[in-house]
Amino acid sequence: MPQTSLPDRAIIELTGEDRVAFLQGLVSNDVAEAVPGRAVWAALLTPQGKWLADFFIFAEDGRLLLDVEAAQAAMLVQRLTRFRLRSKVALAVLEGWSVQAGWGGAALPAGIAAPDPRHPDAGWRALAPAAEALPADATPDAYDRHRLALGLPDGSKDMEAERSTLLEAGFDELAGVSWSKGCYMGQELTARTKYRGLLKKRFFPVTIEGPVPPRGTPVLREGGAEVGEMRSGQDGLGLALLRMPVRGDEAFTCGEARLLPHVPGWMRLPEQAG
C-alpha cells in the first residue's frame, strides 16, 4: 500500500471572499465542486484554448489550495494575478509544505486529503506542512510508473504550453472539464473540438520495448510515416501523442524502441462516442 512525497509539486494558496468566483471564470472545471474531502482537477488555458498548466484544487478553512507543478508555481501566481482586478482574492506560494500521493489500497489520511478525481485507481493526494508529512514507503518514480500504467498525463512532462489541448490529454474522460458550469478562458475551442468531433490526436499509453525514447522523439508507422511523438516514459511504460485512428494490434518504432499502444478502459475514442 505505497505512498510517497512528490518533490516536483508545490502549493498555491488563494484567500479572500471572491476566491471561488475568481478562479471559476478562469479554469476548465467547476471550482465550487471542491469541498473538504473532494478535490477538483482543472487546467488554465490560453484564450485560444491551449494548455498552460493544470492542478488539483482543494478547499479548506476559508481558502483554496492548488496542488501544482513546482516549476510552474511562480508563473501561475503571476498569470492569475493579472486577472484579479477588483476581486477580493490574494495568491501566494506556500513555503515548507508537501504534496503526497498514495495508491494501491493505501488508506486516505486525515487532514487536507482527497481521492485523485481522475480515476478510481489513481489513489489519493494529500497536502500538509512538510514537518507533518506521512512517512514515505515508496519513491516518486514508483508513483510515476503507476500513473503511466493508467495512462494519466502529468503536466509539462506530457503537454506543451500554448500548443496542447485538453481533449488530446483525456481531460474529458478524466473529469478535468465541466461542460455545464459556464464560461472560462479557452472554453470556446474546447467545446468546439468536442461537439464538432475535431479531435485528431490523443495521448495513448504505450508499452516500450527497448530504451525509453527521449521526449519529442518521432513515432513512425511501418514504412516510415510519422504518426506522432513520444512524451513521458519510464521502465517500459510511457505516453505518446498519436494521430488517430490507432489500432490495438499495431506497433510503432520510436528511436531505438518499439512502441505497443493500448486503449485504457476509461478512454472514449471517436468511434466509441455516443
Side-chain angles (χ1 to χ4, degrees):
M1 298 185 182
Q3 57 194 40
T4 188
S5 293
L6 302 177
D8 61 348
R9 307 294 293 183
I11 300 169
I12 296 173
E13 178 188 59
L14 281 76
T15 55
E17 62 187 75
D18 295 335
R19 63 191 180 279
V20 173
F22 165 76
L23 201 60
Q24 186 76 292
L26 296 174
V27 304
S28 65
N29 215 339
D30 189 348
V31 181
E33 293 292 319
V35 296
R38 183 171 67 197
V40 167
W41 187 45
L44 179 70
L45 307 178
T46 68
Q48 295 76 32
K50 301 303 176 68
W51 176 90
L52 285 171
D54 60 86
F55 35 81
F56 298 88
I57 305 170
F58 291 75
E60 188 260 350
D61 286 348
R63 61 181 178 172
L64 297 176
L65 299 173
L66 309 186
D67 163 5
V68 307
E69 195 172 333
Q72 294 185 318
M75 175 276 291
L76 268 171
V77 169
Q78 182 181 47
R79 282 186 177 267
L80 292 172
T81 299
R82 292 178 191 171
F83 298 100
R84 188 173 58 180
L85 301 176
R86 296 182 181 179
S87 297
K88 296 178 180 178
V89 62
L91 301 95
V93 178
L94 288 183
E95 299 294 338
W97 278 60
S98 172
V99 176
Q100 293 188 288
W103 66 100
L108 181 71
I112 308 171
D116 187 320
R118 296 174 295 178
H119 190 280
D121 295 333
W124 50 258
R125 302 179 77 91
L127 318 180
E132 301 173 14
L134 297 168
D137 54 15
T139 66
D141 283 349
Y143 175 76
D144 205 42
R145 288 191 294 272
H146 170 65
R147 66 97 187 167
L148 285 169
L150 292 173
L152 306 180
D154 187 8
S156 62
K157 290 181 181 178
D158 297 300
M159 290 174 273
E160 291 185 282
E162 302 188 37
R163 293 190 63 185
S164 294
T165 67
L166 297 191
L167 301 192
E168 288 176 351
F171 273 69
D172 187 6
E173 301 101 309
L174 296 172
V177 182
S178 170
W179 301 108
S180 61
K181 73 159 192 162
C183 295
Y184 59 88
M185 190 162 64
Q187 177 197 27
E188 183 178 354
L189 176 84
T190 305
R192 187 167 66 243
T193 301
K194 176 179 174 69
Y195 294 118
R196 295 187 182 178
L198 301 177
L199 190 64
K200 304 300 182 185
K201 300 178 292 182
R202 289 211 58 158
F203 291 112
F204 286 86
V206 294
T207 300
I208 304 169
E209 296 181 349
V212 175
R215 188 184 192 279
T217 302
V219 178
L220 307 177
R221 182 169 272 132
E222 184 178 356
E226 186 172 330
V227 295
E229 64 179 50
M230 186 68 193
R231 294 303 169 89
S232 64
Q234 184 186 162
D235 293 346
L237 299 173
L239 288 183
L241 180 64
L242 302 175
R243 190 175 302 119
M244 296 187 289
V246 171
R247 301 196 314 266
D249 60 350
E250 190 170 19
F252 302 109
T253 58
C254 185
E256 299 178 12
R258 186 169 180 257
L259 303 186
L260 305 173
H262 59 95
V263 179
W266 58 260
M267 184 180 288
R268 296 192 302 272
L269 298 179
E271 60 269 23
Q272 299 170 332

